[in-house]
Amino acid sequence: MELSSPVDALGLTAKKAAALRRAGVETVEDLLYRFPLRYEDARPVDPAVLRADGPAAFYGVVTDMPVLKFFAPGKSRLAVRLDVGGRPVTAVWFNQPYLKARLAPGTAVWVYGPYDVRRRTVVAQRTEIGPARPPDGVVPVYPATEGVRPKEYRALVEAALGRDDLEVPEVLPPAIVRRYRFPDRRAALRLVHLPASPDDVARGKRRLIYEELFLFQLKLALLRGLRRRRATGVAKPVDEGRLRRAIEALPFRLTGAQARALREIVAELRSPEAMYRLLQGDVGSGKTVVAALALYAVVTAGFQGALMVPTEVLAMQHARTLRKLLPLDAELALLTGRTPPAARERILERLRDGRLDVVVGTHALIQEDIAFRRLGLAVVDEQHRFGVAERRMLLEKGEGTDILLMTATPIPRTLALAYFGDLDVSTIDELPKGRGEVETLWTTPARFGAVLDFMRRELQAGRQAYVIAPLIEASEKVDFENALALYERLRTALSEFRVGLLHGRLPGKEKDAVMQAFVRGELDVLVATTVVEVGVDVPNATVMVIVDAERFGLSQLHQLRGRVGRGAAKSTCILVSDARTEIARERLRTLVETRDGFLLAEKDLELRGPGDLFGVRQSGLPEFRLADLTSPYDRTVLAYAHRDARAVADALLEARSAGRPPAYEGEPLPAALLRLADDVLRRPVALD
């Protein structure tokens, strides 16, 4: 029998096999890799040692006649006294009157369920009547399967693992099995499904969690290696002297994290392999400075650079910033959908003949008539706002073009390995000195009047304010503040000031016009949804009010908070919420106490799970059968699996390229692992 054998081969009835197929269990591998949800410790305990209520198992003998009482139609309570090692325990069954006939005095009984220490009573959840000896070990509890009882599922697993002819091929390299002292694959499955103790479960899970994460990371590492070998990069001879002078001319010193990220990028620019790197950093960490210097680095090598952003407002902002940061010998232009035709034609001509070094723009950069003389680096800001096809269209504007993706959403390193496992990641985890202080406060809707008074004082001092609502308009399904109602309320309450409204349903031109008005200081207050979450830089804005703050994830709240404190003046972020759940309250308390976006992302991961890290479910995040990325232990395992998988993938690809048998640390790789690798390499997906 093989893992790929149909589950019917275990002697199932057609009805049971159909029920399993409906649950997604079609093969023996599906059966064995559908892991228990939890475990019940079946080993009987002495009631004398129990000091707290909780689940427990007892093995005893019935001493008295059972007592059956009906307390409602079809509702019953059956109680019997057991002698458990010389101590009395009362066992209770609800709505199982038929057991009375089987519980005669002298009958041996094993029972498991919640135990009340004070009353010495156990409510039976599982029962075995008349066993010669009690069950020994831990009993797995599997996900519910309609048409297959839990006991039947356990029996099927036991039957599969009990077969001498079941082949469970090893998928981990021998060196890795030895390094971490793992049991072999079949033994690990036995430990998880048929454990004798909790220690067995832990040993089996340790191996299988690593295996799952290693195989996932191996796939990403193979795709990354394949892309690097297929992508014909071009080495860019960066002029270190000119780049160093550009850095020295900056009006500030680079942080250590910025300098490290820039070194990583420049090293790849100089390499003949194509760069595919993610630059991530906390709000205000200075990613744009690093991107500007990377663009200048390719200019010193005789190439051109492009920076693509999702909105015109952001494009204009980046163009202004780059003009301040880039040396005068770098020619820069801004290209958006609103660039006048004559100016656009001049920009296109200068791009084609190479007189233009750097262009900043929106989707306008990937129009068919845009051509570069020698595009060396494409930088994509807020990369999650662009699709794979759009990024590829920009890359195809040049030959051997390197790509640098940027994101302002801090992602814990281990989760970045899972989400961006086939990219190289540079992280800026240090804030520049001189950033304005942002105080975070939490208040309730009942005190919104005091919030308005505070805003009024800041506005009278010439400052600006954001007010964020979770919804655009009122909803019958949820009772949360909406931007339209909030806008009308603030227009009345702050009638002496200019109040604007910005949300996702406004036409693109209208959105840009409102945002530009706020940037230019023509609006004092901007009422908005999370459309202002990233990118926008208004140093004069010192107040951020987030209404119904419990509606947002920690990372999203941190992004919104990052819209203020961008100048030298002290800024304030006010969370307005009457959060009722403990998780929501903990999230808000954490935000009040913490400024570090990476720590907040870790906390958000623990509180809400990886799919909610960005405020919405991310369909691209992997879902594992056993590994849990909210677990600190599993995230640590992921880091080891990532390192090992890259080493194995490199060895495998080098061997294939040289035409020799693949090996890792001097030993052949398992045949099952090679089959998995061949499957990935034959059908590569979405390499960028």
Side-chain angles (χ1 to χ4, degrees):
M1 178 176 285
E2 298 179 348
L3 289 178
S4 58
S5 300
V7 76
D8 312 54
L10 292 168
L12 285 170
T13 65
K15 187 175 180 181
K16 297 292 183 187
L20 285 172
R21 280 194 292 273
R22 286 195 297 273
V25 179
E26 297 189 7
T27 66
V28 174
E29 183 171 11
D30 293 334
L31 180 81
L32 297 180
Y33 276 80
R34 190 168 184 253
F35 297 109
L37 293 172
R38 64 179 190 280
Y39 295 85
E40 296 172 349
D41 194 340
R43 295 170 300 178
V45 296
D46 181 348
V49 304
L50 296 177
R51 297 287 180 268
D53 295 349
F58 302 95
Y59 181 68
V61 177
V62 178
T63 59
D64 302 316
M65 291 297 293
V67 178
L68 176 63
K69 292 183 179 179
F70 289 89
F71 53 88
K75 305 288 184 182
S76 66
R77 181 182 187 273
L78 176 65
V80 70
R81 182 72 62 86
L82 302 177
D83 179 344
V84 179
R87 293 181 174 81
V89 171
T90 299
V92 174
W93 292 262
F94 286 100
N95 307 321
Q96 299 178 69
Y98 54 85
L99 291 179
K100 180 181 179 182
R102 299 180 59 195
L103 293 170
T107 304
V109 176
W110 174 87
V111 63
Y112 173 90
Y115 180 64
D116 186 318
V117 172
R118 187 173 63 82
R119 293 187 173 89
R120 296 182 182 177
T121 299
V122 58
V123 177
Q125 291 179 336
R126 291 199 300 108
T127 308
E128 289 188 24
I129 298 174
R133 59 185 179 82
D136 183 23
V138 223
V139 178
V141 179
Y142 292 93
T145 307
E146 188 178 351
V148 180
R149 288 179 297 156
K151 195 170 183 179
E152 292 174 320
Y153 196 94
R154 285 197 300 273
L156 280 172
V157 171
E158 190 167 354
L161 289 172
R163 290 185 63 138
D164 293 334
D165 64 343
L166 175 65
E167 295 182 13
V168 184
E170 183 58 81
V171 291
L172 295 181
I176 286 177
V177 174
R178 288 195 303 272
R179 181 184 305 152
Y180 300 119
R181 298 178 183 176
F182 286 144
D184 65 49
R185 193 180 181 197
R186 179 170 180 148
L189 288 168
R190 284 193 65 87
L191 289 169
V192 167
H193 287 291
L194 307 171
S197 69
D199 286 344
D200 282 356
V201 176
R203 284 178 57 223
K205 276 190 169 182
R206 182 171 166 268
R207 146 81 201 226
L208 293 170
I209 288 170
Y210 175 92
E211 175 190 307
E212 184 172 39
L213 295 173
F214 172 83
L215 293 177
F216 176 75
Q217 288 296 310
L218 181 67
K219 176 182 176 181
L220 293 178
L222 288 170
L223 292 176
R224 171 180 173 270
L226 190 63
R227 184 189 60 245
R228 281 176 172 270
R229 284 163 172 77
R230 285 185 177 178
T232 52
V234 174
K236 292 142 185 99
V238 175
D239 187 326
E240 298 281 358
R242 289 174 64 188
L243 180 59
R244 186 172 57 253
R245 288 191 291 276
I247 295 170
E248 291 169 352
L250 293 172
F252 48 79
R253 290 190 64 178
L254 295 180
T255 64
Q258 285 175 314
R260 182 182 66 242
L262 183 61
R263 282 196 302 272
E264 292 169 347
I265 293 166
V266 170
E268 282 204 274
L269 291 174
R270 298 171 69 95
S271 164
E273 292 186 345
M275 179 174 77
Y276 192 60
R277 181 169 287 273
L278 174 75
L279 176 64
Q280 66 157 346
D282 203 349
V283 174
S285 60
K287 294 180 298 299
T288 307
V289 176
V290 174
L293 292 169
L295 289 165
Y296 185 65
V298 296
V299 171
T300 70
F303 290 80
Q304 295 166 295
L307 171 58
M308 186 166 72
V309 299
T311 67
E312 183 173 358
V313 173
L314 202 50
M316 295 173 69
Q317 178 178 299
H318 276 319
R320 284 196 301 271
T321 303
L322 262 59
R323 284 194 175 101
K324 294 176 186 174
L325 297 174
L326 292 175
L328 296 177
D329 60 353
E331 290 289 328
L332 178 140
L334 171 67
L335 182 64
T336 71
R338 294 194 206 171
T339 303
R344 182 178 187 276
E345 189 51 46
R346 284 195 299 273
I347 291 172
L348 265 56
E349 183 181 337
R350 292 165 64 211
L351 278 176
R352 285 192 294 267
D353 64 22
R355 284 178 293 155
L356 189 57
D357 298 305
V358 178
V359 62
V360 180
T362 55
H363 292 77
L365 293 181
I366 57 177
Q367 297 300 312
E368 196 172 329
D369 61 342
I370 305 290
F372 292 79
R373 181 174 179 273
R374 206 179 185 196
L375 179 61
L377 175 64
V379 181
V380 182
D381 195 15
E382 297 309 324
Q383 59 85 27
H384 59 279
R385 303 273 291 274
F386 295 97
V388 169
E390 291 169 314
R391 296 200 294 265
R392 183 181 291 126
M393 288 168 70
L394 182 58
L395 280 177
E396 289 174 351
K397 298 291 183 183
E399 291 184 11
T401 304
D402 292 317
I403 187 165
L404 180 66
L405 308 176
M406 297 204 299
T407 179
T409 301
I411 307 168
R413 170 160 173 74
T414 46
L415 190 59
L417 297 182
Y419 191 58
F420 298 113
D422 59 336
L423 285 95
D424 294 302
V425 179
S426 292
T427 299
I428 304 179
D429 50 9
E430 180 182 355
L431 291 178
K433 294 178 181 178
R435 291 277 301 177
E437 180 188 347
V438 180
E439 182 181 17
T440 305
L441 306 172
W442 173 16
T443 189
T444 63
R447 292 186 50 79
F448 196 69
V451 174
L452 288 174
D453 291 340
F454 175 80
M455 284 176 59
R456 190 175 288 108
R457 289 195 295 273
E458 286 291 299
L459 297 174
Q460 287 169 344
R463 303 299 183 188
Q464 292 167 275
Y466 297 96
V467 181
I468 306 299
L471 303 176
I472 295 175
E473 57 190 5
S475 167
E476 294 180 2
K477 295 181 181 179
V478 289
D479 182 24
F480 289 112
E481 189 65 83
N482 67 87
L484 296 176
L486 200 55
Y487 170 66
E488 295 299 335
R489 182 177 176 186
L490 293 181
R491 283 181 66 191
T492 301
L494 302 172
S495 56
E496 67 270 38
F497 300 103
R498 300 160 296 180
V499 181
L501 175 65
L502 181 67
H503 58 73
R505 287 191 201 156
L506 291 175
K509 290 184 179 180
E510 194 172 335
K511 270 194 291 193
D512 284 346
V514 172
M515 198 65 242
Q516 285 286 11
F518 189 67
V519 170
R520 291 193 298 265
E522 296 165 7
L523 291 174
D524 303 302
V525 180
L526 185 62
V527 179
T529 55
T530 55
V531 71
V532 299
E533 183 179 332
V534 289
V536 182
D537 188 4
V538 184
N540 191 48
T542 58
V543 180
M544 168 62 73
V545 178
I546 307 172
V547 182
D548 290 327
E550 75 277 9
R551 281 279 288 172
F552 305 97
L554 263 176
S555 293
Q556 201 172 24
L557 290 169
H558 183 59
Q559 290 294 320
L560 290 167
R561 175 169 63 182
R563 293 310 98 212
V564 295
R566 305 185 78 82
K570 178 183 175 182
S571 297
T572 307
C573 176
I574 303 174
L575 311 173
V576 181
S577 172
D578 57 357
R580 293 182 175 87
T581 69
E582 182 53 36
I583 286 182
R585 287 194 290 269
E586 184 176 355
R587 201 156 62 230
L588 298 181
R589 283 194 297 267
T590 302
L591 194 78
V592 168
E593 297 165 2
T594 308
R595 281 282 299 155
D596 187 321
F598 288 93
L599 288 178
L600 290 171
E602 291 278 3
K603 190 68 174 178
D604 219 9
L605 181 60
E606 292 172 17
L607 292 174
R608 308 210 310 162
D612 282 317
L613 188 63
F614 307 99
V616 294
R617 291 300 300 180
Q618 295 288 312
S619 60
L621 282 166
E623 291 197 10
F624 299 108
R625 285 168 163 170
L626 197 58
D628 176 10
L629 293 185
T630 66
S631 158
Y633 173 79
D634 290 11
R635 297 204 298 275
T636 301
V637 173
L638 176 62
Y640 283 99
H642 171 78
R643 181 197 64 191
D644 297 341
R646 280 203 168 185
V648 172
D650 287 345
L652 196 153
L653 290 168
E654 285 172 14
R656 283 172 62 101
S657 179
R660 61 174 184 266
Y664 175 67
E665 295 194 359
E667 295 176 285
L669 290 171
L673 184 65
L674 294 178
R675 286 195 295 271
L676 289 170
D678 285 342
D679 188 51
V680 171
L681 296 173
R682 275 199 308 269
R683 299 184 291 108
V685 293
L687 292 183
D688 58 353

